[in-house]
Amino acid sequence: MSKKKPSKEWLQIQNKDPYVKQARESHYRSRAVYKLQEIDQKDKLIKPNTCVVDLGSAPGSWSQYASERIGANGRVVAVDILPMEPINGVLFMQGDFTDETVENAFLEQIGTQGADLVISDMAPNLSGIRVSDQARSMGMAELIYDFCHQALKPGGDLLIKLFEGAGTSEYRQLLRERFGKVMTRKPGASRDKSREFYILARSYKL
Ligand SMILES: C[S@@+](CC[C@H](N)C(=O)[O-])C[C@H]1O[C@@H](n2cnc3c(N)ncnc32)[C@H](O)[C@@H]1O
């Protein structure tokens, strides 16, 4: 797969970004880790000895962080359409999550015990056409909601990235039907001008 050359503007933003600097100086593979870390510190999300499922995991900073937090007796099961360098304690599967065969194989990896937490930083490739990008993003979010019914243990939690726009209020409403509490999070490392935000849905009900 050919890689697009980053633009000059993008490189300037990256070089000035304190979270990029912090990630480069640490062992984390992406600045995205500081979004998860902030939410985890505020909401006490990732607990030792649990099973965490990471959707759209590459290059791997969320999986790195989660595997550190769960310790040696926990499990991280991750999936991405792109390859991901191995991480100790993380079971990675490469494939397109929207493909039913891939999703079923991934569910098998999780096993019948189920997951305590699903984290999704997944975002579809953007075309630049806002209406269709938003529709694709919400389509993916619905798929993740359905996936939770098969993957989450009762009492489990979901952290999912969404983009402000059509369908997000309805999605919150949908989550409220099956989760005890639904909250919005916009961590400091999530750029102000980005429409991205996270929903944290807690206490999954069967
Ligand atoms: C923002 S990145 C995730 C960064 C990650 N949380 C980290 O900390 O390194 C979003 C990821 O979603 C993945 N993705 C997008 N669509 C996907 C799909 N249909 N199936 C699996 N992964 C997908 C992309 O390949 C990309 O690696």
Side-chain angles (χ1 to χ4, degrees), residues 29-33 35 54-63 79-82 95-99 121-125 140 161:
R29 296 177 184 175
S30 157
R31 71 187 290 290
V33 72
K35 303 175 192 176
D54 186 3
L55 306 178
S57 57
S61 74
W62 280 26
S63 281
V79 64
D80 202 291
I81 200 163
L82 296 177
D96 181 347
F97 179 75
T98 62
D99 178 332
D121 201 18
M122 215 161 29
N125 278 336
M140 197 175 252
K161 173 158 78 185

Side-chain angles (χ1 to χ4, degrees), residues 6-15 191:
S7 71
K8 215 170 152 186
E9 188 199 4
W10 184 85
L11 283 171
Q12 275 169 355
I13 293 170
Q14 288 291 99
N15 289 335
R191 292 179 171 127

